[in-house]
Amino acid sequence: MTYKKKDWQLNEAAFDGLLAVLDGDDRERAGEAYEKLRTRLVRLFEWRGVDTPEDFADETLNRTARKIEEGVKILNVSNFVGGVARNVLLEFFDERERERKKHGEFSETERSSAPEAEDERIPCFRECLDDLPTEQSLLLVDYYNRTETPKIKQRKELAATLGESANALRIRVHRIRQELDKCISGCMERLK
């Protein structure tokens, strides 16, 4: 795993700062919130295919603690941690891709891509996906991510990981897609 600031180590003051952001009034509740958040992160990293999800969850929380120690004000802990987790995942995927290329392996996308003109909706899609809250964009990516697992089974597993029914997940994703589609349409209108 790549670390941005190699010399930084989690210390008691940084950990206390993280706990204070989770619940400044009650250290015990803050500890429970920390464990709940860590469990959600572990499940997220497991779902995304990370070999050591506990390490990645810890790295995400450590980076969050470092940011708090550096003076970053966090208004929504869940969204902030989701953004940090997204960055950790992106680094993981970039590193994995570099390793594949180094060893002469290529992703399915690289093998199947042709030098066709890029769909004009793609820049709008990327912009609108980035504008969504991190949790929503990660959920969409996970929901529509194609793996070797059959689609129905994969989505049931995702719903179980998130602690909701498959139908509730489908409805939630549908609502996010409606927002995304509206944003893309608006973007396309602006480009005309």
Side-chain angles (χ1 to χ4, degrees):
M1 181 183 305
T2 306
Y3 297 99
K4 293 282 183 193
K5 294 188 177 183
K6 295 181 184 203
D7 297 333
W8 192 87
Q9 293 287 330
L10 180 65
N11 56 51
E12 189 174 342
F15 186 70
D16 287 344
L18 176 59
L19 290 178
V21 168
L22 291 171
D23 192 326
D25 298 328
D26 185 342
R27 189 169 173 89
E28 188 173 318
R29 279 198 321 242
E32 291 168 3
Y34 176 88
E35 285 302 319
K36 185 177 178 183
L37 186 58
R38 185 178 183 278
T39 300
R40 286 178 51 211
L41 286 168
V42 169
R43 286 193 308 217
L44 168 74
F45 290 120
E46 281 174 348
W47 178 251
R48 297 297 287 160
V50 173
D51 297 332
T52 55
E54 292 85 6
D55 292 344
F56 280 76
D58 291 340
E59 175 63 15
T60 300
L61 292 168
N62 289 351
R63 289 185 187 190
T64 302
R66 184 183 76 219
K67 289 293 186 185
I68 293 167
E69 186 179 56
E70 291 172 351
V72 173
K73 300 292 181 211
I74 298 176
L75 302 175
N76 184 322
V77 178
S78 184
N79 282 346
F80 188 86
V81 171
V84 174
R86 182 178 184 193
N87 290 337
V88 170
L89 271 173
L90 290 173
E91 289 173 20
F92 167 73
F93 290 132
D94 287 346
E95 191 172 309
R96 188 168 68 179
E97 197 61 30
R98 279 192 299 276
E99 286 296 313
R100 283 184 181 158
K101 287 180 180 180
K102 188 167 88 174
H103 297 298
E105 300 171 11
F106 297 98
S107 68
E108 190 63 38
T109 308
E110 291 172 318
R111 278 186 246 133
S112 65
S113 64
E116 300 170 8
E118 186 177 80
D119 186 336
E120 61 192 23
R121 294 172 294 177
I122 289 177
C124 285
F125 173 79
R126 288 184 180 139
E127 176 185 318
C128 291
L129 189 63
D130 285 343
D131 287 346
L132 285 174
T134 305
E135 285 184 21
Q136 289 182 357
S137 63
L138 285 173
L139 178 61
L140 277 180
V141 169
D142 286 343
Y143 190 81
Y144 290 107
N145 185 26
R146 294 188 182 172
T147 64
E148 295 170 10
T149 308
K151 181 170 60 173
I152 294 171
K153 182 179 179 192
Q154 177 183 338
R155 290 179 179 173
K156 282 183 180 178
E157 289 172 359
L158 176 60
T161 300
L162 297 171
E164 58 188 59
S165 71
N167 194 41
L169 175 63
R170 183 183 59 76
I171 291 167
R172 191 165 142 202
V173 168
H174 176 73
R175 288 179 180 150
I176 297 169
R177 273 293 306 272
Q178 285 179 321
E179 270 184 61
L180 185 66
D181 291 344
K182 189 170 24 171
C183 177
I184 291 170
S185 296
C187 176
M188 293 297 293
E189 284 295 317
R190 286 191 310 271
L191 294 178
K192 286 183 181 180

